Amino acid sequence: MATDIALSLLPPLVRFLEAVRRAEERRRVTVLERRMARQVARWFVGQGAAVVERLEPHLASRFDDNAALFVQESIAPSDWLWLLGTVLEAGAGELQQIIDVFTGSALMAGAGAVLDEFDEMRATFSLSNPRAVAWAEGHAARQVTRINDTTRTELNRLLTEAVDNGWSWTRTAQAIKKQFADFAGPPLFPSRKFRSRAEMVAAYEIGDAYEAGKQFAAEMAAGDFPMEKAWLSARDGRVRPMHQANDAQGWIPLDATFESGDWRPPTDPGCRCSLQYRRRPDDAAA
């Protein structure tokens, strides 16, 4: 009887411990997300001012002439795309540094979350770890390129609209600054429905680095004993079916992929899933 009661209590206990672990991870990650989002938001606002300052000497009078005469053929995307490229490239180094600093912190936090469960391996992971170095090399630069490509596309769309509708330079400059202010947005996290690009960038970068750190720590542990992993979704009505399927798989070998074909979350900025790791039970018993 006592054994039956204990067994019946085991699943709720496991779910409780999973919820506690997830809440603790969410707390750690959210602190980094908020800090990074604030810095990315400030960077976006600064970029907006820099773009206007760089474009104005070359385009202001031509936009005003276009507004007065509505001669649309007088300005073309080729007149501003190279200018956008120079100003975005000039600001890339600052954003790259922001990403480097915060993802490094998230990587260490994720690794620590796994290694803390193995007394013999505590404090054995550092950013000099070969896997961490390989992951970090070029990561921030690639992400900055993606962010700037999206920014360039949005600004090209805005400037084309301004020309097509005969906007003055004053109105165009205000629209550019507003676009970057929208990119910045309020640095808060009420939900995973992001209210700004700054929030989205920070959430994905921190979440990805944190899970990467956990993965590298688990791979370190696997050098001493077999390890397993399990996909833990948010388990609410907003979880996509494929991530529900990953969660339903339970524990799988460390080197296996999940039902979706992914090695680990996050799969995109809106993904709220995480991974759990453990020593394979049959090996621990042995």
Side-chain angles (χ1 to χ4, degrees), residues 17-172:
L17 292 176
E18 287 176 347
V20 169
R21 182 184 291 111
R22 182 170 181 78
E24 176 59 22
E25 288 195 343
R26 189 68 247 156
R27 183 191 65 78
R28 293 175 183 172
V29 168
T30 298
V31 169
L32 290 171
E33 283 180 354
R34 290 178 186 272
R35 292 174 181 170
M36 183 175 176
R38 283 193 288 267
Q39 292 204 21
V40 173
R42 283 195 290 269
W43 180 82
F44 272 132
V45 172
Q47 282 288 90
V51 166
V52 170
E53 181 179 1
R54 186 77 175 86
L55 295 184
E56 187 165 8
H58 299 272
L59 298 179
S61 62
R62 298 177 67 185
F63 266 74
D64 288 339
D65 289 344
N66 182 68
L69 303 174
F70 210 64
V71 183
Q72 296 181 15
E73 295 80 3
S74 64
I75 315 174
S78 58
D79 295 317
W80 61 68
L81 285 176
W82 71 273
L83 290 168
L84 288 178
T86 60
V87 70
L88 294 177
E89 184 178 347
E94 183 181 355
L95 180 58
Q96 184 171 332
Q97 184 176 21
I98 292 170
I99 292 175
D100 274 334
V101 168
F102 282 96
T103 56
S105 297
L107 196 74
M108 288 296 296
V114 172
L115 293 178
D116 280 350
E117 299 188 18
F118 304 103
D119 291 337
E120 66 273 29
M121 301 188 69
R122 291 176 191 265
T124 59
F125 185 88
S126 73
L127 293 180
S128 62
N129 178 279
R131 290 298 308 276
V133 171
W135 183 86
E137 284 182 346
H139 173 80
R142 289 190 297 272
Q143 296 303 89
V144 170
T145 297
R146 291 174 58 188
I147 291 166
N148 279 345
D149 285 347
T150 300
T151 299
R152 187 182 293 106
T153 298
E154 289 298 311
L155 289 178
N156 184 51
R157 178 197 57 75
L158 187 155
L159 289 165
T160 300
E161 179 183 357
V163 170
D164 289 347
N165 290 282
W167 293 1
S168 68
W169 175 250
T170 298
R171 180 178 177 183
T172 302

Side-chain angles (χ1 to χ4, degrees), residues 215-226:
Q215 176 187 348
F216 300 157
E219 289 171 351
M220 281 182 58
D224 295 325
F225 37 75

